[in-house]
Structure formats: structure tokens, C-alpha cells
Amino acid sequence: MPGAGSFRADLGASVVVALVALPLCVGVAVASGVPAELGIVTGVVGGLVTGWFRGSALQVSGPAAGLTVLVYEAVDSYGLPALGVLVLAAGMVQLGLGALRLGRWFRAISLAVVHGMLAGIGLVLIAGQLYALGGVPAPGKTLAKLGGVHELGAQADWAAVALGAGTIAVLVLWRRAPARLRVVPGALVGVAAATAAAALLPLPVETVRVTGVLDAVALPSWSDFGTLASVGAVGTVVALALIASAETLFSAAAVDRMHEGPRTDYDRELVAQGIGNAVCGLLGALPMTAVIVRSSANVEAGARTRASRILHGAWLLLFAVALPQVLEVVPLAALAGVLLHAGWKLLPARAVAALWRTHRGEAVVLVVTAVSILATSLFEGVLVGLGLAVAKAAWETSHVHVEEVWEGDELCVRVVGNASFLRLPKLLDSLEALPHGPVRLDLSGLRHLDHACLTALEGWERKRMPLPGREGVI
């Protein structure tokens, strides 16, 4: 059991994490097209339910900007009542993956695809929140949003733009503030400053609409489960489960590098996330994932045990129940500023530059994944990225080299590498270009020889077989 010193450290860290989580929970909910309270419900479940499990001691779960696009598309396609069913089903998929001990395999996902997914999410998030920043209704599709950006200046509410821009400025500058001030999260400072400015001036800007946490909770009805009969809905469930799991486990790997405590048990953490998402689904709330911003704040604030992430859920619940009217004065433009900043941080500019210098193929996978998400949807874009990554890996691992060495009057041909159907044309071209005369074919350097290449080599050997009085393959 943790001692008094650990509890004091965890208590202080939990307050910091709750203050970081509050504006993000509300902002992610609003950007997802659902009531603000549902984001807080997910944050509470992430603390009071998922926080108890032993998968990862210090990472914190809640609604994430990375799932905003997918949730928005799901609500737009199937309606808000169906969201709970989709999240519940995604949680059950995660539970199954964890029970089958498949959590560690998520580490095998190409980092280029993950960075591309985050870049695509960041770009979609920025495209949508630019309209929220200006108080302008946004077109439905991402490409339409990007195409209409140049017209925003004529339609924007410049008071709202000023509040959002001020929030972003606070977030950027707060990182340079003295350490004793940075104990208070920059997102909270930015939103509080924008809220105070809107109230004191006063500015006629749109604010968050709040109906109460208990009123926002809606258990799924039996009729809502009919949504799962749709192929598109099943695809959404799979996408929610896989993306939330991947983001959680990559976050866990990052958090493990930030502290010296117990390492993450990936399978247990996946089970914990599955249970949390199942509960969120039963409450009709947003899906959850482990979030690196809140997790890093937890570590930096001095948390020592999982008590800090449990307590952060209690603080969120207390705030939402006791002071819901405070949320009603928060300008939507301030939350848009927080999410624009979050979207910008998702863009892996340094990763692209580094990959282009060292592994250009990986950089291409990253960019194609991000562009595919912009052009289609999150699920389809990630599938395109994964397909391209697999094709690239297959192509690179199918390298085969033909080496020619003369040993006296005899030509020795050594085939090295992986002989697969992907490189069969190259292999046959090299063999057929050999000069006439005796040839000794050495296949001992092959690490893999598939059936197509074996059949082709046998056919080439028959063609080279000596006619009466002539020499051929040895």
C-alpha cells in the first residue's frame, strides 16, 4: 500500500491532471458533435473505472482528440443514440484482444502509419476547428472545409476569433512561464482568460451549452443495437477499437520512458481500456483512450501510483456535479483554440523531415496515410496506410541478387536473398542474360524460395539442359 508521502504526491498530481483534463474533455465533446457533459462522463470513467486496473500505473485515460474525427463521422451517420452501442461494441473488441494477449502485437504497427494517422487527424481537426474559431457553420466533408477556408474571413465573428487566438497565444507562451506558474495547466489558463474577457467586455459570442451530467447520460435501447447490422457500423467499431488501442499502447510506451516505476502490462492495459469503453458505451458517452498530454502531466506533477488517475476522475465528477453552471460561460471559440493547438501538435513535421533524410519510403507511407484520411475517412485512410506499409515491407524483403563468379572456365551463379514472385521477372531476366556454356547454379544463399520461383528455376534449368554434345547447367 502507498504511504502518506505517496498519497500526498498523488493527491496533488490528481488535481493538476483534472485541471488539464477538464477543458480537453469539454472541447473534444463539442468538436465531436455531442453534448459537452459526455466528454466529462468519459473522463470520470477513465479515472474511476479504468484507473483501478494495473495495466499502466501512471497513464491517464479520457476522451482524446485523436478519436474526434471518427466519433463525429459516427454521430453524423448513425445518430447520437447509436454512439453508446458503437463504443460498447468497441470496448468488447478491446476486451477480446486483451484476453487473447494480443496487446503486445500493436507495437508491430508501422510507426509511419501511426504518425500519418496522427497527422491526418490533426489536419482534419484543424480544418473543422477553424470554423468553430470563427463562429461559422462548417461544411460536412473535410475537403469541403479546406476548400471553404479562404471564405472564412468574410463570415467570421472577429470577437470569437480574437478569443480563440488569445487562447492559442496563452498556450504557446505558457511553456516559457516560470516553473512555479506552470503548475497551473496552460489550457486552463487560456480558457479561463478567454472566459473572463468574454464576460467582462462583454462579447456576444456563443458559449458551451450545459444540461447537467446526469441528464446527458442515456443508456442504449434495444433498438439502437440494430445499428450493428450495418457493415459501415461494424467498420466504425473496428476502427474505434484498433485506433484507441494503438493510441493507448503507444502512449504507454512513451509514459514508460518518463518514469522509473513499474512497466506497462500491455494486455492488462488493453483489458482495462476495454472495460472502460464498455462502461462509457453503457452510459452513452464518448470513447476513451490513454492520452499522452494528461499522462505526461501526471508524471511531471509527481504522481507515484495509480491513485492519482483514480482521484482525477473523482475531481472531474465533483466539478461537473457541483459547478455545472461554470461551463455555461466558457466561449466555444476558446475551446476551439485549445483543439487547434492540439491538432497542430499532432502534425509530425520533425518526423517527416527525419524520415525523408533516412527512410524516404517511410516518409511516403506517412504522407499517403495523412492525405488518404483527408480525402476519405479516418478508417479508410488508415487501411490505405497499412496496405501501403505492408506492400513496402513485402517489396523490400523480396530483394534477390544474382552474383556471377568465374572459376576457371566455369561460371558460378549464386542467387542470394529472398526469391519471391515479386522479384521473379528480375531473377529470370538475370538468368536468361547469362552467356552460353556450362553454369553452376548455387541457391545456398537464399533465405526464402517460394513456389513460383522454384517452378520458374526448374523451367529455366530445363531450357539450359545440354543437348547431345553440348554442356549446360551443372
Side-chain angles (χ1 to χ4, degrees), residues 93-462:
V93 171
Q94 287 182 297
L95 266 173
L97 294 173
L100 293 172
R101 302 185 63 81
L102 297 178
R104 69 196 70 182
W105 287 99
F106 280 88
R107 291 179 288 179
I109 297 176
S110 166
L111 283 177
V113 175
V114 174
H115 283 308
M117 178 189 75
L118 294 176
I121 290 169
L123 291 171
V124 173
L125 194 60
I126 289 171
Q129 293 308 303
L130 284 173
Y131 289 84
L133 185 74
V136 178
K141 300 295 183 181
T142 301
L143 293 179
K145 291 174 184 174
L146 293 173
V149 166
H150 67 282
E151 300 176 356
L152 277 176
Q155 307 173 34
D157 179 349
W158 287 100
V161 172
L163 290 177
T167 303
I168 295 172
V170 171
L171 285 168
V172 173
L173 296 175
W174 197 249
R175 299 176 61 184
R176 302 180 181 179
R180 63 180 181 276
L181 295 180
R182 291 201 307 272
V183 173
V184 182
L188 183 66
V189 175
V191 171
T195 301
L200 294 174
L201 288 178
L203 298 175
V205 293
E206 192 173 356
T207 59
V208 177
R209 298 174 184 175
V210 180
T211 59
V213 172
L214 297 180
D215 294 332
V217 170
L219 301 179
S221 64
W222 285 112
S223 60
D224 295 329
F225 283 87
T227 304
L228 297 177
S230 163
V231 174
V234 172
T236 298
V237 168
V238 173
L240 280 172
L242 295 183
I243 293 172
S245 300
E247 187 169 344
T248 291
L249 299 182
F250 278 114
S251 171
V255 172
D256 281 349
R257 290 194 293 266
M258 298 172 64
H259 67 90
E260 301 299 326
R263 305 295 93 179
T264 297
D265 184 318
Y266 287 89
D267 296 314
R268 283 187 176 182
E269 182 63 17
L270 204 51
V271 169
Q273 294 293 320
I275 293 174
N277 272 317
V279 173
C280 287
L282 290 173
L283 298 176
L286 289 171
M288 74 164 61
T289 180
V291 189
I292 190 62
V293 174
R294 273 160 265 188
S295 302
S296 59
N298 191 36
V299 175
E300 291 169 3
R304 299 184 187 178
T305 72
R306 65 181 186 275
S308 61
R309 58 182 190 167
I310 298 171
L311 289 170
H312 115 274
W315 289 117
L316 286 176
L317 179 61
L318 178 64
F319 187 90
V321 171
L323 300 170
Q325 64 276 12
V326 174
L327 297 177
E328 295 181 342
V329 298
V330 175
L332 289 179
L335 298 177
V338 172
L339 291 173
L340 277 170
H341 183 258
W344 178 260
K345 290 174 68 176
L346 289 175
L347 302 182
R350 292 182 180 177
V352 173
L355 285 175
W356 187 254
R357 289 192 298 267
T358 56
H359 302 284
R360 293 194 175 183
E362 293 290 295
V364 170
V365 172
L366 189 158
V367 173
V368 169
T369 303
V371 172
S372 299
I373 290 172
L374 284 176
T376 56
S377 66
L378 182 59
F379 183 56
E380 293 171 341
V382 170
L383 287 181
V384 169
L386 287 173
L388 183 59
V390 170
K392 171 182 169 293
W395 182 258
E396 289 180 346
T397 56
S398 67
H399 283 300
V400 63
H401 303 285
V402 177
E403 301 173 355
E404 301 176 28
V405 180
W406 285 95
E407 298 177 354
D409 294 333
E410 182 182 82
L411 176 60
C412 178
V413 177
R414 189 166 184 262
V415 184
V416 181
N418 296 282
S420 72
F421 70 94
L422 292 172
R423 296 300 176 110
L424 183 54
K426 175 186 176 181
L427 178 61
L428 288 177
D429 287 344
S430 299
L431 293 176
E432 290 170 357
L434 294 174
H436 293 291
V439 174
R440 182 159 58 87
L441 187 62
D442 180 5
L443 303 181
S444 62
L446 284 177
R447 293 187 295 272
H448 173 72
L449 176 64
D450 70 7
H451 183 263
C453 284
L454 177 61
T455 303
L457 287 173
E458 290 173 346
W460 174 81
E461 182 183 16
R462 285 193 296 271

